[in-house]
Amino acid sequence: MKKFRKVLDGLTTSSPAGVGGSSSCASAAGTPTAGPSPREIDVAETLTSESFQICKTVRHGFPCQPTALAFDPVQKLLAIGSRSGGVRILGRPGVDCYCQHESGAAVLQLQFLINEGALVTACADDTLHLWNLRQKRPAILHSLKFNRERITFCHLPFQSKWLYVGTERGNTHIANIESFILSGYVIMWNKAIELATKTHPGPVVHLSDSPKDEGKLLIGFESGTVVMWDLRAKKADFRIHYDEAIHSVSWHHEGKQFMCSHSDGSLTVWNLRNTARPVQVTFPHGKTQRDGRKESCKPILKVEYKMSRNSSEPFVIFSGGLSYDKASRRPTLTIMHGKAITVLEMDHPIVEFMVLCDTPYPNEVQEPYAAVVLLEKDLVVVDLTQSNFPIFENPYPMDIHESPVTCTAYFADCPPDIIPVLYSIGAKHKKTGYSHKEWPVSGGTWTLGSQTYPEIILTGHADGTIKFWDATAMTLQMLYKLKTSKVFEKPKAVEGGRGAELGEEDPYAVQMLSWCPHSRLLCVVGISANLILYRFSKHDANTNITVLEVRLQCEVEEVISPSDTENTPCLSDPSGHSPQPPPSPRSNTPDSARDSIPCLKVKDRTIRMPPGYQAELVVQLLWVDGEPPQPITSLDINSAYGLLALGNCNGLAVVDYIQRTVLLCMSTLELYGAADPFQRLTRSPRKSRQSTPDFCMRGLSNFYSDSKKRIRTSYQSLTELSDNQVSMDAERSKSPTSVPYPSSLHNDHRSQGDTLSSLRPSHYSPVFYLLDNESRENSFSRSRSSSVSSIDRDTKEAVTALQFGESYGRKTDALPTPCLWVGTSLGLVLLIPMSIPTDDQERQEEPVTMAPTGTVLMLKGSVLRFGFLDLRGAVISAPYEVWRDPNAQEDPERPRKRKLVNFSPSSSQENCGEGHLAVVCSERQAVVFLMPAQVCLHVHNITEASFVLRADLVSFCNSVCLACFCANGHVMTLSLPSLRPLLDVNYLPLTDMRIARTFCFTNGGQALYLSSPTEIQRITYSQEMCDNLQDLLGELFTPIETPEAQNRGFLKGFFGGNTQTFDREELFGEAAAGKASRSLAQHIPGQAGMEGMKAAAGGAVGELARARIALDERGQRLGELEERTALLMTSAETFSKHAHELMLKCKDKKWYQF
């Protein structure tokens, strides 16, 4: 067998090879006809393994499961920590950086070293990390691992290098930020509280130094005890005991009083002059009941106490505190300013919030101007300078997950005019009422890279929406939003019927996308077995949507031979050809009585469509004999031909959307005719009815065998499969990640659709496919077996790949003609030539004829992708029609004609006799055929232990390669046409369902996938882009001079008391406090491994640049100091001169002369 495979790699004859489990390829069944003998193909391949390197570039979207928030008021940077150990650092649009802790521990707290380009993170594994932000890719400089105590709270005073760390035991430790070494100075809990207290005060929940005296540290314990600790005297100044637990503490900027929030929904204000009792106790949302008691309220989790220069009334902002009686109310943020109380209701629970102020000094008037509210699934910034408290328009793409993402598509090097057009249309539908002020998070710098090209990302969602995103230059901005649900009537809910169930689920969920940027045609496949064709127009229109209904089902024991249908343009039951108005779908119709009914009802009236994408045609698969239509598994559209093709596990349908007719509607077995290599008979699906007859009428949640939760209430059910999956056979279990991802349909009659890997990544991605226990037990080897009995047992053969293009339908063809390539789940490839009129008038009237020729090629594994190359190795692009506005006014004297590209009767006159190369990729192998001889030139077995999920031909470095993504997480590239391996990296070892259905490649060496339910991760496998990545990313840190402290004035300083400072180094240093116990914490310098060292170093160029910036800053400060010194000297000389003159003038005068 091995020798046979080696021979195939250089095979240049047209003799047929084996079938089935062999790695060979076969021509048409039977004896091949004589054809032109293939010549030696000599293509100069320029790609080498040195051209590839895989790395992450940028992450877009809202951080999944956020936990912490921090803000640098000088650098204007915002940091968000997450439960998975990730940290997102946001600045101005374009400045968006993602960092990840190697441990994956949740981030508990974030602390910026204000205006110093550093960030401290406290994680759930009781480790402190210091991140260097003075580089485009931040790296950890130091780590401090606590061994015996759990970290609960951290506080870093402004312009201090000593970090206060509170623990679960109630102790407070002090760490040096520069060296990340603990000081010997420790505030033990038993010394902080009174000796007479017999109970433990609980964990430390708050730490802050007094704005009036930095030598006083306020320590808040969970039990309600507050201690003011004198750091110099090492004793407590005062202790406060309150009956309710404390959640947060906030100082007044003068340092004379502070406010606490408690678990009973109350706010208490304490004055330092009298700490025996609070000066004020309020229940902001607690009403007094008839018996005089306050109604119970929820805890106030955080409070901020700020003052403004323009008002004597303070800002009191807090989250929570609502009455328990109002359980149905949404989470709220309350703003109290004087007597006015404003309650802002949020869509999601509040995780954290911060009030942004002008000054970083805690002892100055804070002047709050905005409040950043971090929600579980959103980020909201409230404008505090306006009385109605509007929110800012978020410039970041934080709404990717507005509805769960079900599929993605990525297009690089798009036409340059498409982005401005989409933006101008989408801008008309933007929301209003935002604050008119600039976005307050404006830190960092970002410039458009020199080598940029238009990039667009499409995302399909569970509610039927499609979003177009501008992804140019490592950014992401929404351009346009399309709602496919507007095409259909709203399903009527019937009590106890299926209609109510349909209304609650997601019947409009987008399953696949196919978009042509040149013709601006958009095809959308929905989960309810429907296909919608959209055309783009700059003008609004009032139109009726054409509906074509297709009965794509096998008939009972009827085998149609090619001879019977060779000259017939329509090869199926006439009932599936012409659209006839079916009876209205009724929710209470029993399954057995359902026939010729679509899952959704299209609006049958004139619809006004705004500018943008306008629905033109809807193709719906019908119920047949009480069985729902199977989901569509493959799709392709060609604007030059005016055709679209769709397939599922029952067969293939081809639609002429220009003439609004169904050209072809056949089962997969009927496509073979007498050329079926397995000689199977068609079998009625009624003999083996699937286990879930209401499959299509139910939402996406039913694609999980273990979860019936609705998507809109459970993101987890959309994005993850549970671990208790049915075990598969020995061959499939070789891959640790293959269990959650069924590789193929197995042609089983119970299967609902094809493999996840059977859909082309450049156009669309599958949603989910349900495989019951029986179909899981049908192993990969059994379904791919050449055994006739096995194939006959698994009658359903799904259409998994479709591709229109100029090719050769028969070996004897001398010129290329329009063809449709069809790939199936059994690894079989069929060619269907077509006859398409070229004249515009004839195309409108003359029918398009097409019929299978019996040409069958064979691979191992379900077919995923087709691609065409000329004999010089260049990609042959599919023909397309140049876009023209369908609603634009036409000149009657000069009617517009269709402008077609790459489409002619003899598509390339120069090379018409040379043929071309066809690249076919399946789940297991890639094959290059020479057409029209149908000879297999090269074969490469991509994987044996796993299977390919995504595959695509991508343009890369003025060449082309085949990019593959496997279920075991490997990313591979193969050269073309030799299929020589160039890259094989174990990039994602823990591939899950979310990544499997959203991973897609694009040109230029880029790819993307959904790294979490809310985030899109973009990667590159190009060495050139990895080398230039630093130039494409934004700069986080910018040298800014720290603002000077305000001058308090003589009277205010005299009567109010000056802020006292002290030398923390003298108090906490090793000389005075000694060393901390080595067993208490472990210092870890930098990151482990070469990658961490490289990231921390940032390269020699980065170090030199930072050193130069530091020198510039130092020189600038020295220059300013020199100027100030010169001014002081000049002022002193002037004062001395005037004093001397005054002395000379007054020395001879008597006292009474003054």
Side-chain angles (χ1 to χ4, degrees):
M1 182 63 70
K2 293 183 178 178
K3 293 181 180 179
F4 188 53
R5 292 178 180 174
K6 291 180 180 178
V7 172
L8 282 174
D9 289 339
L11 187 63
T12 57
T13 64
S14 59
S15 59
V19 294
S22 170
S23 62
S24 60
C25 316
S27 61
T31 305
T33 59
S37 60
R39 298 177 287 108
E40 187 71 26
I41 306 299
D42 186 14
V43 177
E45 298 181 359
T46 58
L47 294 179
T48 63
S49 58
E50 288 75 19
S51 304
F52 296 89
Q53 180 185 351
I54 191 166
C55 70
K56 297 179 180 179
T57 55
V58 67
R59 181 172 292 203
H60 304 295
F62 180 78
C64 184
Q65 297 179 327
T67 55
L69 185 68
F71 183 73
D72 188 328
V74 179
Q75 288 289 323
K76 306 290 186 183
L77 293 174
L78 187 72
I80 302 174
S82 67
R83 189 176 300 176
S84 61
V87 178
R88 286 283 291 281
I89 304 173
L90 304 172
R92 67 177 67 250
V95 179
D96 188 343
C97 181
Y98 173 77
C99 315
Q100 176 67 44
H101 293 90
E102 290 185 357
S103 64
V107 178
L108 299 180
Q109 197 173 354
L110 300 168
Q111 286 279 328
F112 272 106
L113 276 66
I114 296 176
N115 201 30
E116 294 187 24
L119 176 71
V120 175
T121 59
C123 296
D125 60 350
D126 306 310
T127 306
L128 299 173
H129 304 277
L130 178 63
W131 292 83
N132 180 15
L133 305 184
R134 294 185 178 232
Q135 55 194 52
K136 293 187 176 181
R137 284 186 172 269
I140 293 177
L141 297 179
H142 300 281
S143 297
L144 188 64
K145 169 70 174 176
F146 279 74
N147 298 323
R148 297 185 298 182
E149 299 195 50
R150 306 297 305 272
I151 299 174
T152 57
F153 195 87
C154 297
H155 170 63
L156 180 65
F158 178 52
Q159 294 182 330
S160 171
K161 66 177 183 179
W162 296 96
L163 176 71
Y164 301 109
V165 183
T167 67
E168 192 176 28
R169 293 185 179 181
N171 303 325
T172 302
H173 301 274
I174 303 170
N176 188 300
I177 290 299
E178 295 178 350
S179 61
F180 247 53
I181 297 177
L182 282 181
S183 168
Y185 194 112
V186 183
I187 305 174
M188 305 300 291
W189 68 271
N190 53 359
K191 293 183 179 180
I193 65 173
E194 294 179 345
L195 296 177
T197 305
K198 297 182 180 179
T199 59
H200 191 277
V204 175
V205 297
H206 177 80
L207 292 169
S208 63
D209 50 346
S210 170
K212 188 177 180 180
D213 186 358
E214 294 178 351
K216 304 292 180 65
L217 182 67
L218 191 69
I219 307 174
F221 297 94
E222 188 181 52
S223 62
T225 301
V226 179
V227 177
M228 177 69 84
W229 184 263
D230 190 333
L231 294 170
R232 301 183 191 90
K234 298 183 180 180
K235 66 176 184 178
D237 272 7
F238 62 82
R239 299 178 178 88
I240 295 174
H241 300 282
Y242 196 70
D243 295 335
E244 296 295 335
I246 292 178
H247 286 279
S248 69
V249 180
S250 181
W251 279 97
H252 189 277
H253 73 279
E254 293 181 350
K256 298 180 180 180
Q257 61 184 17
F258 58 87
M259 181 178 291
C260 300
S261 67
H262 300 278
S263 58
D264 63 345
S266 64
L267 297 173
T268 57
V269 180
W270 302 83
N271 197 304
L272 301 189
R273 294 182 180 179
N274 182 14
T275 59
R277 60 178 58 88
V279 296
Q280 185 181 3
V281 179
T282 58
F283 288 83
H285 296 296
K287 297 180 180 179
T288 304
Q289 299 177 350
R290 294 181 179 180
D291 56 0
R293 294 184 303 174
K294 293 283 186 179
E295 61 180 352
S296 58
C297 297
K298 299 177 182 178
I300 296 179
L301 301 179
K302 184 176 181 180
V303 63
E304 292 269 15
Y305 189 24
K306 305 295 181 182
M307 291 296 296
S308 175
R309 298 187 188 94
N310 301 328
S311 175
S312 59
E313 299 291 343
F315 274 96
V316 178
I317 305 173
F318 60 90
S319 61
L322 290 179
S323 171
Y324 278 107
D325 295 338
K326 301 175 182 178
S328 60
R329 291 187 59 173
R330 294 185 292 181
T332 60
L333 182 77
T334 305
I335 303 174
M336 299 172 60
H337 190 207
K339 295 182 179 180
I341 300 179
T342 304
V343 179
L344 304 178
E345 290 190 345
M346 303 294 169
D347 293 332
H348 309 284
I350 297 175
V351 176
E352 173 72 288
F353 78 91
M354 289 191 67
V355 177
L356 309 187
C357 303
D358 284 335
T359 176
Y361 295 93
N363 58 350
E364 296 180 353
V365 178
Q366 299 299 292
E367 199 64 38
Y369 61 89
V372 179
V373 188
L374 179 63
L375 308 178
E376 281 190 0
K377 293 182 175 65
D378 201 1
L379 180 69
V380 177
V381 181
V382 183
D383 187 357
L384 298 179
T385 61
Q386 301 184 39
S387 58
N388 59 339
F389 303 119
I391 64 173
F392 290 89
E393 184 177 6
N394 199 327
Y396 313 123
M398 295 290 186
D399 56 346
I400 293 176
H401 62 288
E402 184 178 13
S403 175
V405 177
T406 55
C407 62
T408 59
Y410 192 6
F411 300 87
D413 203 9
C414 298
D417 60 335
I418 188 67
I419 290 180
V421 170
L422 288 173
Y423 181 80
S424 62
I425 297 296
K428 299 177 182 179
H429 304 284
K430 283 192 173 182
K431 297 180 181 179
T432 58
Y434 294 109
S435 173
H436 299 293
K437 294 192 174 182
E438 293 184 1
W439 179 253
V441 185
S442 57
T445 56
W446 178 79
T447 56
L448 193 64
S450 57
Q451 297 180 348
T452 59
Y453 44 83
E455 300 176 68
I456 291 180
I457 295 174
L458 273 66
T459 56
H461 299 264
D463 63 352
T465 59
I466 299 169
K467 295 181 180 180
F468 291 74
W469 305 85
D470 179 10
T472 306
M474 298 296 170
T475 61
L476 195 69
Q477 181 181 8
M478 193 171 78
L479 297 172
Y480 175 71
K481 183 177 179 180
L482 175 66
K483 296 182 179 180
T484 62
S485 59
K486 292 185 176 181
V487 174
F488 304 100
E489 299 282 1
K490 292 183 179 180
K492 297 180 180 180
V494 179
E495 293 185 6
R498 203 179 304 277
E501 183 178 314
L502 175 64
E504 293 175 356
E505 298 291 345
D506 298 276
Y508 310 115
V510 179
Q511 184 176 347
M512 302 178 199
L513 294 171
S514 180
W515 182 57
C516 177
H518 300 283
S519 61
R520 302 184 187 177
L521 282 179
L522 174 65
C523 253
V524 182
V525 171
I527 197 63
S528 298
N530 58 70
L531 182 149
I532 310 174
L533 175 64
Y534 288 91
R535 284 186 183 270
F536 185 83
S537 176
K538 297 180 180 179
H539 308 279
D540 56 357
N542 295 318
T543 58
N544 290 318
I545 302 175
T546 303
V547 181
L548 294 179
E549 296 177 346
V550 178
R551 294 171 60 95
L552 198 54
Q553 296 281 3
C554 300
E555 296 298 331
V556 183
E557 303 294 343
E558 292 181 3
V559 180
I560 303 176
S561 63
S563 59
D564 298 334
T565 59
E566 188 173 2
N567 300 321
T568 306
C570 211
L571 300 176
S572 65
D573 189 358
S575 61
H577 301 168
S578 58
Q580 300 177 359
S584 301
R586 296 178 182 176
S587 305
N588 54 358
T589 304
D591 291 349
S592 59
R594 292 193 179 194
D595 188 59
S596 301
I597 297 177
C599 296
L600 296 174
K601 180 176 174 56
V602 180
K603 294 180 179 178
D604 55 359
R605 59 183 180 276
T606 302
I607 304 174
R608 181 189 176 279
M609 299 184 182
Y613 274 97
Q614 301 170 351
E616 179 180 286
L617 174 69
V618 176
V619 179
Q620 291 185 298
L621 304 187
L622 302 178
W623 284 66
V624 177
D625 296 334
E627 293 192 13
Q630 300 301 307
I632 298 172
T633 57
S634 54
L635 166 71
D636 194 33
I637 184 171
N638 190 283
S639 56
Y641 300 161
L643 303 177
L644 62 86
L646 58 95
N648 64 4
C649 64
N650 285 327
L652 170 69
V654 180
V655 174
D656 183 348
Y657 64 81
I658 294 179
Q659 298 185 15
R660 308 289 201 274
T661 58
V662 179
L663 298 178
L664 186 78
C665 183
M666 300 178 66
S667 68
T668 314
L669 297 184
E670 292 171 335
L671 292 173
Y672 296 106
D676 185 3
F678 306 116
Q679 298 300 318
R680 291 162 293 176
L681 295 177
T682 55
R683 181 179 299 171
S684 172
R686 288 175 294 183
K687 294 183 180 180
S688 56
R689 181 169 299 180
Q690 60 189 24
S691 58
T692 54
D694 58 335
F695 172 81
C696 189
M697 299 298 289
R698 301 174 69 88
L700 278 177
S701 304
N702 283 354
F703 283 102
Y704 291 101
S705 58
D706 62 340
S707 175
K708 302 296 181 184
K709 297 180 180 179
R710 290 181 298 162
I711 287 181
R712 62 175 59 88
T713 59
S714 175
Y715 281 68
Q716 201 74 8
S717 67
L718 177 73
T719 57
E720 295 180 1
L721 285 175
S722 65
D723 294 329
N724 46 341
Q725 303 283 354
V726 181
S727 60
M728 309 178 80
D729 70 334
E731 182 177 356
R732 290 298 305 279
S733 63
K734 291 179 182 178
S735 171
T737 60
S738 61
V739 175
Y741 311 108
S743 74
S744 73
L745 176 67
H746 307 305
N747 303 289
D748 189 78
H749 60 270
R750 286 174 169 263
S751 301
Q752 303 295 346
D754 191 27
T755 168
L756 291 176
S757 59
S758 63
L759 300 171
R760 293 188 291 138
S762 62
H763 297 290
Y764 46 77
S765 300
V767 188
F768 301 107
Y769 294 95
L770 176 66
L771 294 177
D772 57 14
N773 298 348
E774 181 177 341
S775 63
R776 289 185 184 277
E777 291 172 356
N778 286 333
S779 67
F780 189 99
S781 58
R782 218 190 313 168
S783 64
R784 296 298 187 269
S785 172
S786 59
S787 169
V788 176
S789 61
S790 174
I791 297 299
D792 185 58
R793 187 168 57 251
D794 298 331
T795 306
K796 288 288 186 69
E797 180 180 5
V799 176
T800 59
L802 295 168
Q803 178 72 58
F804 287 105
E806 301 286 306
S807 186
Y808 302 85
R810 302 172 181 84
K811 290 185 178 181
T812 57
D813 289 349
L815 297 177
T817 58
C819 289
L820 174 62
W821 285 65
V822 182
T824 73
S825 56
L826 287 184
L828 301 179
V829 178
L830 300 93
L831 276 73
I832 304 178
M834 301 175 292
S835 175
I836 302 177
T838 57
D839 182 74
D840 282 5
Q841 187 65 29
E842 292 180 356
R843 182 64 184 87
Q844 297 287 339
E845 300 174 356
E846 296 295 329
V848 175
T849 58
M850 59 187 305
T853 61
T855 299
V856 179
L857 309 174
M858 186 168 288
L859 285 80
K860 183 170 67 175
S862 178
V863 179
L864 304 182
R865 184 71 168 106
F866 297 113
F868 307 117
L869 306 176
D870 61 23
L871 298 187
R872 295 168 181 79
V875 176
I876 301 177
S877 300
Y880 64 88
E881 177 188 1
V882 178
W883 174 78
R884 56 176 182 171
D885 197 327
N887 298 326
Q889 294 183 354
E890 294 189 16
D891 188 356
E893 298 180 358
R894 299 178 60 185
R896 294 181 301 167
K897 294 184 177 181
R898 299 175 67 209
K899 184 178 179 181
L900 307 182
V901 179
N902 299 334
F903 175 56
S904 63
S906 57
S907 146
S908 177
Q909 295 294 340
E910 297 179 0
N911 306 322
C912 62
E914 294 186 1
H916 67 83
L917 302 177
V919 182
V920 186
C921 184
S922 72
E923 289 178 334
R924 291 301 183 91
Q925 63 180 190
V927 183
V928 176
F929 294 97
L930 174 62
M931 304 299 291
Q934 301 177 11
V935 171
C936 176
L937 295 181
H938 303 282
V939 179
H940 177 74
N941 291 321
I942 300 175
T943 178
E944 293 293 341
S946 183
F947 55 92
V948 179
L949 287 171
R950 298 288 185 268
D952 202 4
L953 271 72
V954 293
S955 299
F956 180 76
C957 293
N958 298 321
S959 187
V960 63
C961 67
L962 179 64
C964 303
F965 174 61
C966 294
N968 58 6
H970 282 249
V971 176
M972 293 177 284
T973 59
L974 306 175
S975 66
L976 291 175
S978 67
L979 298 178
R980 176 169 43 90
L982 298 174
L983 175 72
D984 188 354
V985 177
N986 188 10
Y987 176 68
L988 290 171
L990 296 178
T991 305
D992 59 14
M993 184 60 134
R994 177 183 58 253
I995 298 175
R997 80 171 190 279
T998 58
F999 198 103
C1000 54
F1001 296 97
T1002 190
N1003 296 328
Q1006 297 192 74
L1008 66 81
Y1009 59 92
L1010 220 66
S1011 58
S1012 72
T1014 62
E1015 296 170 288
I1016 291 177
Q1017 177 68 58
R1018 293 165 67 178
I1019 64 173
T1020 180
Y1021 47 94
S1022 165
Q1023 179 66 56
E1024 181 182 1
M1025 180 169 286
C1026 290
D1027 295 339
N1028 300 328
L1029 187 58
Q1030 296 293 329
D1031 299 332
L1032 301 174
L1033 300 177
E1035 193 82 44
L1036 290 175
F1037 179 78
T1038 54
I1040 301 175
E1041 185 177 355
T1042 303
E1044 296 183 358
Q1046 297 175 359
N1047 187 3
R1048 294 172 60 85
F1050 174 75
L1051 293 177
K1052 192 169 184 179
F1054 182 78
F1055 293 105
N1058 290 314
T1059 302
Q1060 301 182 27
T1061 60
F1062 76 108
D1063 189 358
R1064 293 186 177 90
E1065 179 68 30
E1066 182 180 351
L1067 192 60
F1068 303 144
E1070 184 177 340
K1075 293 183 178 180
S1077 173
R1078 292 185 178 180
S1079 62
L1080 180 61
Q1082 176 187 0
H1083 174 242
I1084 306 172
Q1087 279 183 326
M1090 290 298 296
E1091 182 179 355
M1093 295 174 63
K1094 290 178 182 179
V1101 177
E1103 290 291 348
L1104 290 174
R1106 284 188 290 275
R1108 179 175 55 79
I1109 292 174
L1111 288 175
D1112 291 343
E1113 293 176 0
R1114 183 179 180 186
Q1116 183 179 0
R1117 292 175 181 175
L1118 289 175
E1120 293 174 356
L1121 181 61
E1122 184 178 356
E1123 292 176 0
R1124 292 178 183 178
T1125 305
L1127 290 174
L1128 287 175
M1129 291 179 63
T1130 303
S1131 178
E1133 291 177 358
T1134 304
F1135 179 77
S1136 176
K1137 180 180 178 182
H1138 288 314
H1140 184 68
E1141 291 176 354
L1142 183 62
M1143 185 269 295
L1144 294 177
K1145 182 179 179 180
C1146 301
K1147 69 177 182 177
D1148 296 331
K1149 291 185 179 181
K1150 303 296 182 181
W1151 63 270
Y1152 54 83
Q1153 292 178 322
F1154 287 98

